[in-house]
Amino acid sequence: MLQKLQKIISYEEVGIPAREAGFPSPFKPGLEYNSPAHGTWNIVHTGMLIPGAHQIYVCAPNCARGVALTAAEMNEMDRLSTISLEEADFYNGQMEEKIIEGTTQIINDLPVRPSAILLFTVCVHHFMGTDLDYVYDTLRERFSPLPIVNCFMDPIMQKGGLSPDQKLRIAMYTCLKAGEKKEKAINIIGNDLKIIEDCEILSHVKTEGYAIKDITLCENYEEYLSMAKSKVNIVSYPQARPGGKLLSERLFMRYVYFPQIFDYEKIEKQEQELWKLLSISPLDTASLKRKCEDELKEVLQVIGDTPLALDASAVPYILSLAHFLLEHGFRVKRVYGDSFLPEEKEDFQWIGDHYPDLEFYPTMDIHMRTIPRMTKEPFLAIGQKAAYFTQTPYFVNIVEGGGLLGYQGIIHLAKLMADAWNNKKDTKDLVIRKGLGCVSCI
Amino acid sequence: MKQVNTFISTYTADVSAVCSALYEMGGMIVIHDPSGCNSTYNTHDEPRWYEKDSLIFISGLSEIDAIMGNDEKFIKDVVTAAKVCHPEFIVLLQSPVPLLMGTDFPAIVKQIESEVNIPAYFIPTTGMNSYIWGAGEAFSLLAKEFVKEPDKGKKVKKCVNLLGITPLDFSVNTTADSLKKEVLGQGYAIQSNWAMGSSLREIKEAASAQVNLVAAACGLKAAKVLEERFGIPYVAGLPIGSFAPLFWQETKRAIEEGRSCCPYHKVLQNPEEDFVFIGEPVIGQSIASDLSLRLKKTPLIVTMQQIPDELISKGCRVILSEEELKEVLAKAHTVIADPLFLPVCPEDVKFYSFPQEACSGRIYRKDIPDLFLHR
C-alpha cells in the first residue's frame, strides 16, 4: 500500500494547462526527484550492444554501484569492471597512472580478450584536468590492436553540452574503420531497440536490394565492423544525431534523420526523401495510411473516452503523439515531460490552441514525490512514468519509441493501446526493471 | 591494484547509506550531485522507494554552477523545496564534484537554516566511503541532535533500542520482525528501531532505554554517542540460534554493570581458513558464533568494509580488494556469500548463496533469508 507523507500536494499545484505552459521547458528548475520507473536505457545497456566489448568505469564507488548492478541485472557482470576512486586520488597527481595500470590489470585478468574496451571516465576527471589523451594513447599503444574507446559518464556536462548518452552514441561507432569498400547496405545508427520487422521502410529498401545493418541485430564483432561498408546511415533516435552525423562524415556515408513521428505528411515526406536518396522506386503508402486509420478507429471504439496520459520516456516526440491522438478523437488529458525537443514547437502550439486544458506535468519536480498517484477514473497510459504517476495497470510498456517507425509504427502503437486496455499489467513489477528489452534477472 | 574490481561488484557507498538510514525519519535529504546518485540509490539500495514516500532529492549540479561556485542556486532550490515539503529536518550530502570544488557546506547549512527555520545538517559524504560509515554517520546525527534527555532521568526497565537496522543489511523480509519477536520474547520492550518501523518521535525518546543492541556495524557510532550522552551501554551482535543464550546473558550483564560488550568475541577464536563467510561483520560474526557453538565449525568472516577494531573478532578479517579476496578464497572449500562473489571463488568450491542488499541490491531479494528462521 502506498504510504504518503503528511503534506499532500494536489495535482492542481503542479500541473500546467497547455494554454499557460512555456516552451521548451514548462517547469521551473529546482531540486530533482527520480521516479521508480527505470525502463529507459542507460549507458551500460547501450554499451553492451557492441558484441564482445568490455566496459571499464573509473569512478567513485557510489557511481560504480549503479553501473555494476545494471550489468549484473542484465546477467552481463562479466562484461564490466570498475576502478574505484578514493579521495587521495583527487590530490596525489597519480590519476593517469591509476587509470592506465588499473585498466591494464583488468584487461590482463580477463579470461578472454574482449573485442573492444569502452573506458569510461567521469565528471571529476574534467575538473581535475586529467590528461585523457595520454591515458588513451598509452593504453592503445600497450594493447594494440585492441580498440580502446574513450567514453564518458559525466552528467555534470549535460546541461551545457552533450549528455553521456549522446557521447556514447558517438563513441560506440568509432571502432568502424574508414576505407572499407562500400556495399549496397544501409545502417540504422544509434538506436537501442530494433525497429519493428514489418516496418515498411526497411521492407521496401530490402526489396530494392539493400541490406540492413543495425547494431541491435549484430551477433558478432565482425558483423558490427561490417557496418563501415554501408552507404547510408539512418538515424531514428534523436539522441543519436551527433553520432550519426560524425560517423557519416568520417566514413563518407550519406546521413538521413528519420525519426519516429506521428504525422502522415511528415512520414510521407521523410519516406520520399529516402527513396530519392537511394534512387529507388517510391512506395505506395495509401493502403498503409488507411490501415492506420482503421486501427485507430478500432482502438478508439475499445477505449472510448478513457483519459490518456503520455510520457516523454515512451516516445521521443511526445507532443507529436499527443497532437496525433487528439486529432483522432482520443481524450489525451495529461502529458508528463520535463522539457520538449525544439522540433516539437509546432505541435506544442497546436495543442495550446486546440486543447488549452490539456495538462502538462513534470517527472522530476519535487512535487512529484508527494503528489497523489491515484486517479478518480482509470487512465490508459503510454509510457512507464505516466503509468506510475497515474498508478494504472492499463499501459503501453514502451521506451525510446519502442522501435515503432513509419506507418507500421502507428499501426503497432494502436494495437498496443488496445492490448493495454484489454490486458492489465503489473505496473510495479514492470516499470522498476531497468533497460526495457534487455535481460532483467530481478 | 587494490581499487580494481575486475569481476566483482561494488557495495553500496556512503551517500545511499545515509538516505537508507534516514528514510523513515521525515527529513529532506539533498544530494549535491549532477545526476545518478538518486537513481542508483532508489534502484539498487532502496526497496521502499515505490511504495513509501521520502523526501530525497538531488541538486542537479551543472558544470557552469560548479565552476562559477554558484552555491546560491543550490541554497535557493533547497529553501524552495523545504517551504513546499515542510520536512522535520534537512540533511545535505556531498558527492565527488562538490568535494573537489571545496563547497562550503557548513556555511550553506547555516544559511538554509536561517531562511527556513528548520534544523539543517551536513554529513560529509564523498561517494567513496563505505555504506557502514555513511549509515553510521546518519544514525550518529540522530543520536547527537535528536535524542532527548529522558523524562526526569527515568529509565524504563528491560527496554532496548535496536540500532543499525536498514534494508541494506536486513532487506525488507521478516528478519527485522523476527528480531523484534526474539527481543520481546526475552521480556524486553523495544523503545525504538533505528531505523525501520520507528518514527523520529520514538527515536527522540531513545534515552529511556537501558541498553542498545547494535544489530549491524552501522549502529555502533550512534551507540557510542548514546553511551557518552546518557550512559547507556551497548551490546553488539544478533541473538541467533545457539548464540542467543550467551548474547542475552551478556546483555543482562551489560545492563547490570553498565558496560558495553561484543559477545561474539567470546566464541570466535580459531576460524577455519577453508570455510569462508563474506558479509556484514556483526551479522556475520553472530551467525559464525551460532555455527561454532552448534556445529563446532567456525567460518572465517570476511568483511569488505572498513570497520572499528572493537567489532573485529579473531574470526574476522577486513579485506578491501578483489585481489586479496581471491587469495583468501583460493584456500576455501566452502563459501557462504552473496552470489555476486561467485566469479572469484575457486571452481570446485561448495558455494552457499547468502545475498545482501548492500552487495547485490534487489537482484536476489527474494532469496534473502530471515536470519532467525533460516539456519
Side-chain angles (χ1 to χ4, degrees):
Chain A
M1 186 63 194
L2 198 68
Q3 292 184 32
K4 302 300 298 176
L5 287 168
Q6 277 186 330
K7 164 84 174 159
I8 304 291
I9 291 159
S10 71
Y11 251 88
E12 290 68 35
E13 287 177 76
V14 187
I16 300 180
R19 62 179 176 276
E20 293 170 15
F23 185 86
S25 306
F27 306 99
K28 285 182 192 162
L31 299 184
E32 294 172 10
Y33 160 65
N34 186 267
S35 89
H38 292 304
T40 47
W41 286 41
N42 65 29
I43 50 177
V44 177
H45 301 112
T46 303
M48 293 292 180
L49 289 173
I50 300 181
H54 192 88
Q55 301 181 37
I56 299 174
Y57 289 79
V58 188
C59 56
N62 214 68
C63 312
R65 181 156 173 85
V67 293
L69 289 187
T70 297
E73 289 188 358
M74 299 171 76
N75 281 333
E76 299 272 18
M77 194 60 213
D78 56 348
R79 293 182 61 196
L80 186 143
S81 305
T82 59
I83 301 169
S84 286
L85 295 180
E86 293 175 352
E87 201 171 331
D89 296 322
F90 291 5
Y91 315 117
N92 63 13
Q94 300 293 309
M95 184 60 86
E96 288 82 2
E97 294 311 314
K98 182 135 289 173
I99 303 174
I100 292 166
E101 296 313 321
T103 303
T104 299
Q105 183 180 323
I106 290 166
I107 295 172
N108 288 335
D109 280 354
L110 291 174
V112 178
R113 185 59 58 97
S115 59
I117 294 288
L118 308 186
L119 177 58
F120 289 81
T121 52
V122 296
C123 305
V124 289
H125 294 115
H126 293 297
F127 288 83
M128 293 173 66
T130 305
D131 188 348
L132 295 179
D133 287 342
Y134 168 71
V135 167
Y136 285 99
D137 287 348
T138 308
L139 285 167
R140 282 175 189 139
E141 196 177 313
R142 197 174 279 184
F143 290 102
S144 176
L146 176 67
I148 309 228
V149 182
N150 39 345
C151 301
F152 298 94
M153 181 167 70
D154 55 354
I156 199 158
M157 312 298 278
Q158 69 192 3
K159 285 178 182 158
L162 297 179
S163 66
D165 177 50
Q166 289 172 309
K167 288 179 187 170
L168 180 59
R169 289 174 212 275
I170 295 172
M172 67 195 292
Y173 296 100
T174 54
C175 301
L176 304 186
K177 291 185 181 71
E180 297 277 1
K181 196 179 165 201
K182 297 294 183 218
E183 293 172 352
K184 197 174 177 186
I186 287 170
N187 290 332
I188 307 293
I189 293 293
N191 51 319
D192 290 326
L193 299 157
K194 68 173 184 177
I195 290 166
I196 43 171
E197 280 173 19
D198 58 357
C199 169
E200 74 276 4
I201 304 140
L202 303 191
S203 20
H204 186 55
V205 296
K206 271 187 209 162
T207 312
E208 294 286 333
Y210 278 90
I212 305 287
K213 298 183 179 189
D214 181 342
I215 199 166
T216 65
L217 304 172
C218 290
E219 287 185 359
N220 54 52
Y221 191 64
E222 286 65 40
E223 232 179 278
Y224 156 76
L225 287 180
S226 79
M227 292 176 82
K229 297 176 183 171
S230 296
K231 289 179 175 173
V232 177
N233 291 319
I234 296 180
V235 169
S236 67
Y237 188 52
Q239 301 288 30
R241 277 180 288 185
K245 279 181 188 163
L246 280 171
L247 175 67
S248 305
E249 281 166 23
R250 190 169 62 83
L251 300 191
F252 305 103
M253 296 160 151
R254 302 296 296 268
Y255 165 85
V256 182
Y257 182 50
F258 198 126
Q260 176 196 56
I261 207 94
F262 298 91
D263 180 319
Y264 295 139
E265 266 183 44
K266 286 180 183 165
I267 295 173
E268 194 62 36
K269 198 175 160 210
Q270 285 175 339
E271 294 196 359
Q272 292 303 333
E273 280 173 11
L274 183 62
W275 313 145
K276 206 172 152 190
L277 177 81
L278 299 177
S279 306
I280 59 177
S281 60
L283 179 70
D284 180 10
T285 55
S287 62
L288 278 170
K289 209 184 290 178
R290 275 198 302 278
K291 199 162 178 218
C292 288
E293 289 294 303
D294 292 346
E295 289 288 346
L296 288 162
K297 272 179 202 154
E298 207 170 298
V299 70
L300 191 56
Q301 273 177 354
V302 173
I303 69 168
D305 68 347
T306 300
L308 260 61
L310 321 178
D311 87 68
S313 70
V315 298
Y317 292 109
I318 191 68
L319 297 182
S320 160
L321 177 60
H323 179 169
F324 183 75
L325 291 174
L326 286 163
E327 271 194 326
H328 281 81
F330 291 89
R331 192 177 154 222
V332 179
K333 201 161 185 288
R334 296 180 185 173
V335 172
Y336 292 87
D338 300 292
S339 63
F340 305 107
L341 292 165
E343 306 94 285
E344 296 191 274
K345 192 154 191 188
E346 266 181 45
D347 294 311
F348 177 81
Q349 279 170 343
W350 185 89
I351 291 168
D353 292 343
H354 295 83
Y355 292 87
D357 295 332
L358 182 145
E359 297 154 330
F360 290 116
Y361 290 95
T363 68
M364 298 196 305
D365 185 281
I366 54 162
H367 293 85
M368 301 310 284
R369 167 81 281 195
T370 50
I371 203 164
R373 292 190 283 273
M374 299 305 281
T375 56
K376 282 180 194 160
E377 51 183 339
F379 270 73
L380 173 66
I382 300 179
Q384 297 189 338
K385 288 184 182 175
Y388 169 71
F389 286 121
T390 56
Q391 284 294 299
T392 181
Y394 308 105
F395 76 103
V396 177
N397 191 19
I398 56 170
V399 296
E400 301 175 16
L404 312 178
L405 198 62
Y407 294 103
Q408 285 291 0
I410 293 172
I411 293 165
H412 273 258
L413 182 67
K415 285 184 172 157
L416 288 171
M417 287 169 70
D419 180 70
W421 189 244
N422 289 327
N423 299 295
K424 279 187 185 183
K425 291 187 175 74
D426 183 342
T427 308
K428 182 181 174 187
D429 180 65
L430 291 171
V431 306
I432 63 167
R433 293 170 186 272
K434 281 180 139 179
L436 180 61
C438 298
V439 168
S440 170
C441 69
I442 64 165
Chain B
M1 188 186 289
K2 76 179 175 67
Q3 288 156 262
V4 166
N5 289 321
T6 305
F7 302 105
I8 64 173
S9 179
T10 308
Y11 271 88
T12 303
D14 53 1
V15 171
S16 289
V18 172
C19 299
S20 179
L22 300 180
Y23 195 85
E24 298 180 16
M25 296 296 100
M28 181 172 87
I29 302 162
V30 183
I31 310 162
H32 198 20
D33 167 65
S35 172
C37 275
N38 201 354
S39 171
T40 293
Y41 165 62
N42 76 59
T43 310
H44 301 293
D45 295 326
E46 189 43 81
R48 295 164 291 188
W49 193 252
Y50 194 97
E51 302 210 337
K52 189 181 263 189
D53 285 353
S54 184
L55 303 171
I56 297 169
F57 306 116
I58 60 157
S59 63
L61 177 64
S62 69
E63 179 200 15
I64 192 74
D65 288 336
I67 290 171
M68 301 306 287
N70 184 10
D71 294 337
E72 279 310 308
K73 181 186 182 298
F74 179 47
I75 293 166
K76 186 173 147 271
D77 288 347
V78 175
V79 166
T80 305
K83 285 178 179 169
V84 168
C85 302
H86 307 288
E88 296 277 349
F89 57 89
I90 297 166
V91 171
L92 305 184
L93 302 181
Q94 180 178 242
S95 68
V97 172
L99 168 73
L100 198 62
M101 309 303 295
T103 305
D104 188 353
F105 281 96
I108 291 172
V109 158
K110 276 188 189 165
Q111 193 172 333
I112 290 168
E113 209 167 34
S114 70
E115 288 190 39
V116 292
N117 202 24
I118 294 170
Y121 308 96
F122 166 54
I123 296 181
T125 53
T126 61
M128 292 174 275
N129 295 309
S130 78
Y131 81 95
I132 292 177
W133 182 90
E137 286 293 309
F139 289 138
S140 171
L141 175 80
L142 293 178
K144 280 180 198 159
E145 303 289 340
F146 290 92
V147 178
K148 301 185 300 190
E149 289 286 342
D151 287 343
K152 299 172 194 165
K154 199 177 154 192
K155 295 273 179 197
V156 178
K157 274 193 180 173
K158 286 203 88 175
C159 181
V160 305
N161 297 308
L162 305 177
L163 306 185
I165 314 279
T166 70
L168 298 169
D169 292 325
F170 289 85
S171 191
V172 281
N173 61 17
T174 52
T175 298
D177 285 339
S178 296
L179 172 60
K180 273 191 222 165
K181 269 185 212 159
E182 171 68 21
V183 173
L184 297 173
Q186 292 295 319
Y188 289 92
I190 298 171
Q191 169 55 42
S192 62
N193 175 332
W194 300 40
M196 285 170 76
S198 279
S199 64
L200 184 61
R201 191 173 48 78
E202 288 163 323
I203 280 175
K204 283 178 179 174
E205 305 295 334
S208 60
Q210 278 189 312
V211 66
N212 289 317
L213 303 186
V214 177
C218 65
L220 183 67
K221 274 185 205 162
K224 284 184 170 297
V225 173
L226 295 174
E227 184 178 46
E228 198 184 313
R229 284 187 67 198
F230 308 109
I232 306 173
Y234 60 85
V235 180
L238 283 178
I240 290 177
S242 306
F243 175 53
L246 175 66
F247 179 88
W248 290 119
Q249 193 184 313
E250 292 294 306
T251 302
K252 193 165 168 256
R253 186 179 298 175
I255 295 170
E256 286 166 0
E257 297 176 6
R259 199 155 44 92
S260 299
C261 64
C262 198
Y264 54 70
H265 284 300
K266 293 196 169 176
V267 183
L268 303 173
Q269 297 295 333
N270 300 304
E272 292 169 41
E273 296 274 314
D274 65 348
F275 182 17
V276 176
F277 179 109
I278 308 172
E280 198 286 330
V282 171
I283 295 171
Q285 289 177 98
S286 302
I287 292 171
S289 299
D290 169 45
L291 293 173
S292 182
L293 292 166
R294 194 157 46 93
L295 306 175
K296 310 294 172 212
K297 248 178 115 57
T298 307
L300 171 68
I301 300 300
V302 167
T303 173
M304 301 290 291
Q305 317 285 320
Q306 197 75 60
I307 53 164
D309 287 347
E310 71 178 274
L311 292 180
I312 305 172
S313 72
K314 286 180 182 160
C316 178
R317 200 173 300 170
V318 176
I319 288 177
L320 300 176
S321 75
E322 181 180 299
E323 236 172 10
E324 202 189 337
L325 180 66
K326 276 160 84 177
E327 282 170 25
V328 169
L329 291 175
K331 296 175 208 152
H333 293 140
T334 305
V335 173
I336 304 174
D338 190 285
L340 290 188
F341 285 107
L342 201 49
V344 286
C345 290
E347 271 183 20
D348 55 350
V349 84
K350 211 171 178 182
F351 188 87
Y352 293 95
S353 167
F354 192 86
Q356 183 194 354
E357 297 240 1
C359 181
S360 54
R362 58 189 183 171
I363 298 175
Y364 307 104
R365 186 173 294 151
K366 288 174 197 138
D367 305 326
I368 298 177
D370 180 324
L371 300 173
F372 290 84
L373 299 178
H374 180 92
R375 289 197 283 144

